[in-house]
Amino acid sequence: MKKWTLILLLCISAIYAKAPRDTVYVEQIIRDTVYIPVKSKTDTIYIKSENLPQKCCTPTEQNPLGQDTTKFLRYDTSYTHHLIYLHFDIVSILWMIDTNFTSIGGNIEISANRKNSFMINLRYSQMKPQVGNKVFVDGIYEGDITQYDIGMGYRHYFRPSKYSVFLDVGSNWLIRKYNYTNTWDDRPNQYNDRPHTRHDTGYLFAPYIHMGHIFRSNRPIFGIEYGLAYNVKDSDLLKGEFSYITGGIQFDFRLNFGMGIL
């Protein structure tokens, strides 16, 4: 019995030994962890340079002297830029204190960008005879001279920042209405070498150049402007004047307050 059992086992082993076998391939996947750094949002902090010494930093190859390179607060560009600004000359209010002279003016600024603008100039002025005037003196003349200014110009800001120096160049077209009477014209026995009675309209051309300083916020703006203009053509009546109704060279000084509207 043991003999036959052994023979049966040998036969079974021989059968399984000849059976076909398949090779199974298992793909091994190796995964690495990849870290992607995200740059944090950082606000720029401005520090007034007067609170720092001139040499405040460790010298480097790019900055061998260790000089302070901190930006000035006044060069901050974080203000809202508008397409159109309206400017009003505050000095006009001071002119109105003198009842013999009135001048009200302002500008419309069409801004191409933070450094370049197209200017439209508007002004109304009126002069009456006054005591102390060398020619247009009260007691001899009656009436007034009225003037309307319409002009165009180009403005360049030297910095695209809240505070900037600017340069203005342009010209104004002046419509000057003469409506005054020389009362001595009616006195044949009175020596009269002054300009005579005039009731008409003159048209003048006045090129100008101005410098200034401006402070621009998100909407309000304030500027100081000064410069010269030249009134081409006029009569002897206005010699010695320096205001907007002049003959020849004119001095301009303005305190402009304005708002950005678009």
Side-chain angles (χ1 to χ4, degrees):
M1 186 65 181
K2 292 181 179 180
K3 180 179 178 180
W4 290 107
T5 301
L6 180 60
I7 293 173
L8 181 60
L9 292 174
L10 291 174
C11 291
I12 294 172
S13 299
I15 292 172
Y16 278 98
K18 294 181 180 180
R21 297 181 180 181
D22 292 333
T23 302
V24 178
Y25 295 93
V26 178
E27 182 179 359
Q28 183 179 6
I29 301 175
I30 300 175
R31 300 180 183 273
D32 293 333
T33 302
V34 179
Y35 297 94
I36 302 175
V38 179
K39 186 177 180 181
S40 60
K41 296 182 179 179
T42 305
D43 293 332
T44 302
I45 299 176
Y46 298 93
I47 303 174
K48 292 185 178 180
S49 62
E50 58 263 27
N51 297 329
L52 297 173
Q54 184 177 3
K55 294 184 179 180
C56 67
C57 311
T58 302
T60 62
E61 183 178 352
Q62 292 77 16
N63 187 9
L65 299 179
Q67 293 180 342
D68 177 22
T69 58
T70 306
K71 292 182 180 179
F72 287 93
L73 179 62
R74 65 179 182 175
Y75 297 155
D76 183 12
T77 59
S78 60
Y79 72 95
T80 303
H81 174 254
H82 295 275
L83 175 63
I84 296 178
Y85 292 91
L86 300 181
H87 303 260
F88 176 73
D89 179 18
I90 302 176
V91 175
S92 301
I93 301 175
L94 302 178
W95 282 120
M96 295 176 67
I97 297 175
D98 184 353
T99 57
N100 293 97
F101 185 79
T102 301
S103 185
I104 302 174
N107 308 88
I108 301 173
E109 178 180 2
I110 302 174
S111 179
N113 50 53
R114 293 174 184 263
K115 296 186 68 175
N116 301 283
S117 295
F118 175 75
M119 308 298 295
I120 300 176
N121 310 315
L122 302 171
R123 181 168 291 274
Y124 166 82
S125 303
Q126 186 184 70
M127 178 186 292
K128 297 180 180 180
Q130 54 186 315
V131 177
N133 191 295
K134 294 181 180 179
V135 180
F136 201 43
V137 60
D138 186 17
I140 298 178
Y141 288 93
E142 296 176 352
D144 58 59
I145 302 173
T146 301
Q147 179 176 288
Y148 302 90
D149 299 17
I150 302 173
M152 296 183 295
Y154 164 74
R155 174 175 292 185
H156 175 73
Y157 297 100
F158 290 93
R159 289 187 178 275
S161 53
K162 285 186 175 181
Y163 162 77
S164 179
V165 177
F166 65 83
L167 174 68
D168 261 10
V169 291
S171 61
N172 293 320
W173 179 254
L174 312 181
I175 303 173
R176 186 172 292 178
K177 296 185 177 182
Y178 302 92
N179 184 30
Y180 61 85
T181 300
N182 183 340
T183 59
W184 286 5
D185 288 342
D186 298 329
R187 303 176 184 179
N189 298 326
Q190 179 74 44
Y191 176 73
N192 184 11
D193 62 346
R194 295 175 178 272
H196 298 287
T197 299
R198 188 174 180 181
H199 297 280
D200 61 8
T201 300
Y203 300 94
L204 293 81
F205 175 71
Y208 69 85
I209 180 169
H210 292 170
M211 291 288 294
H213 306 263
I214 196 165
F215 302 86
R216 295 178 282 189
S217 183
N218 289 335
R219 191 170 292 274
I221 54 176
F222 178 76
I224 301 173
E225 186 176 347
Y226 47 87
L228 297 174
Y230 185 79
N231 293 269
V232 180
K233 297 181 181 180
D234 211 316
S235 65
D236 294 337
L237 183 70
L238 300 173
K239 283 185 176 180
E241 298 292 336
F242 66 91
S243 59
Y244 292 96
I245 300 181
T246 68
I249 296 177
Q250 166 186 315
F251 176 72
D252 294 335
F253 178 76
R254 303 172 185 174
L255 297 175
N256 294 320
F257 176 78
M259 298 287 289
I261 61 173
L262 290 178

